[in-house]
Amino acid sequence: MPVARTINVELGDRSYPIIIGSGLLGGGFDLSAHVVGEDCLVVSNETVAPLYFGKLKDNLGDKTVESLNLPDGEAYKTTDTMHTILDKLVEIGANRDTTVIALGGGVVGDIVGFAAACYMRGVNFIQVPTTMLAQVDSSVGGKTGVNHAKGKNLVGAFYQPGVVLIDTDTLATLPDRELKAGLAEVIKYGAIVDIKFLAWLEENMAALLARDSEALASAIIRSCELKAELVAEDERESGRRVVLNFGHTFAHAIEHCLGYGEWLHGEAVAAGMVMAAKLSAIDSGDQNRLCALIEMAGLPVAPPKIDADKFLAAMRIDKKVIHKQLRFVLLKSLGEAFVTSSYDDNVLHKLLSASA
Ligand SMILES: NC(=O)c1ccc[n+]([C@@H]2O[C@H](COP(=O)([O-])OP(=O)(O)OC[C@H]3O[C@@H](n4cnc5c(N)ncnc54)[C@H](O)[C@@H]3O)[C@@H](O)[C@H]2O)c1
Ligand SMILES: [Zn+2]
């Protein structure tokens, strides 16, 4: 059996392990032991299923395995797509003992998790993330949901998986652009809570881009440890967890204004983090340091052209808005983030106008 690293997300009776390693799919890990009941539905998409569904089946032993493939893309992260999952669950006669398994990137994980949270008020759910972004971020922490025509991730639920199985070998087939997009969320952890990790990323960015397997595994493990800590501290984002949204107020507005799927989520987060750093009262040396690391990862450091009023209107739909007041996750220093509604309006307007 391949060696795997386990990180626990400590949430009382909803605690679960994240299993990380190489060679875990294709029978290298007994996932059937984590399947409650005898039946599972694996939901994937038309791109990922041909690559990994067969291998995942080898991890499920004697369980009865049904499958469903969704269309590929952020544009399909909708309630309509979620309904196709609910229809399938009804069609196969799924009950409370059925386990729903998401196999794919963050889009599949988010929609499938939401469907699992809703069907019969919640059925067992497992995440098998296959993108860098999903392995370091979206599969952990229980945020599930879909986009609404008016805004990103507006409809959803907190719903934790029972286990997250990360086979780092799946990254071998991931396009370069997607790998880089995932690195944006990795850089985010360094910027918000771990300056030592940020320095490690500066040292190892070339190795990560060259897909050095040890470097990738280290980055995934550290990211999952940090996310697990933040989630354990504040599962429903009523306090500390909000720092994970660093760069995301800008990013979600970019994704919304351009149309979902134009820029990848990670690309929008990259530009959004640079904007948030510039809005932070930190010294320009630190702003430039973060910007340089993002650039080194081959990610955008400026937003696309968007009309400033449109940009601002899109930001107002953000879930962090309280009493109509925008709130941002900003940096106290590089490696330490906080949330605030007090920021320099002039700098914000300059940042938004510079994009147009
Ligand atoms: N729930 C959360 O906490 C959270 C956190 C961050 C991001 N997200 C969400 O995640 C989504 C982005 O996820 P993503 O970046 O994984 O995008 P994605 O799910 O669209 O996957 C990117 C592309 O890679 C393909 N793919 C996936 N695995 C592959 C593999 N191993 N080999 C080849 N191709 C593969 C997919 O089919 C897709 O075309 C966004 O909707 C974002 O809002 C959620
Ligand atoms: Zn994100």
Side-chain angles (χ1 to χ4, degrees), residues 107-273:
V107 169
V108 166
D110 280 13
I111 314 176
V112 176
F114 189 35
C118 294
Y119 187 70
M120 294 194 170
R121 300 198 181 87
V123 291
N124 311 295
F125 170 47
I126 289 175
Q127 288 268 23
V128 183
T130 60
T131 63
M132 184 69 178
L133 184 136
Q135 296 185 351
V136 299
D137 192 353
S138 64
S139 65
V140 174
K143 273 196 185 178
T144 72
V146 296
N147 300 328
H148 183 274
K150 295 279 182 203
K152 171 95 180 162
N153 294 340
L154 280 189
V155 184
F158 283 98
Y159 196 65
Q160 301 293 345
V163 55
V164 180
L165 179 62
I166 298 177
D167 184 338
T168 52
D169 295 349
T170 57
L171 299 180
T173 53
L174 195 67
D176 274 338
R177 188 177 169 198
E178 298 290 349
L179 180 80
K180 290 174 185 167
L183 289 173
E185 305 277 17
V186 177
I187 293 170
K188 177 185 78 179
Y189 293 112
I192 60 173
V193 285
D194 190 346
I195 188 70
K196 266 168 70 183
F197 184 44
L198 191 104
W200 182 89
L201 289 169
E202 288 171 331
E203 294 266 307
N204 289 278
M205 189 50 73
L208 290 166
L209 291 170
R211 296 175 190 245
D212 176 279
S213 53
E214 262 179 46
L216 286 172
S218 301
I220 293 166
I221 289 167
R222 187 64 191 140
S223 299
C224 285
E225 283 172 350
L226 292 167
K227 179 129 190 203
E229 274 171 32
L230 286 163
V231 169
E233 210 178 303
D234 173 25
E235 183 184 7
R236 296 180 73 91
E237 202 174 281
S238 44
R240 182 108 182 89
R241 182 175 175 171
V242 78
V243 295
L244 287 165
N245 293 305
F246 179 58
H248 281 60
T249 303
F250 295 108
H252 287 166
I254 292 171
E255 291 182 85
H256 177 72
C257 291
L258 287 189
Y260 297 117
E262 262 318 296
W263 270 34
L264 302 178
H265 175 71
E267 293 167 345
V269 169
M273 289 193 292

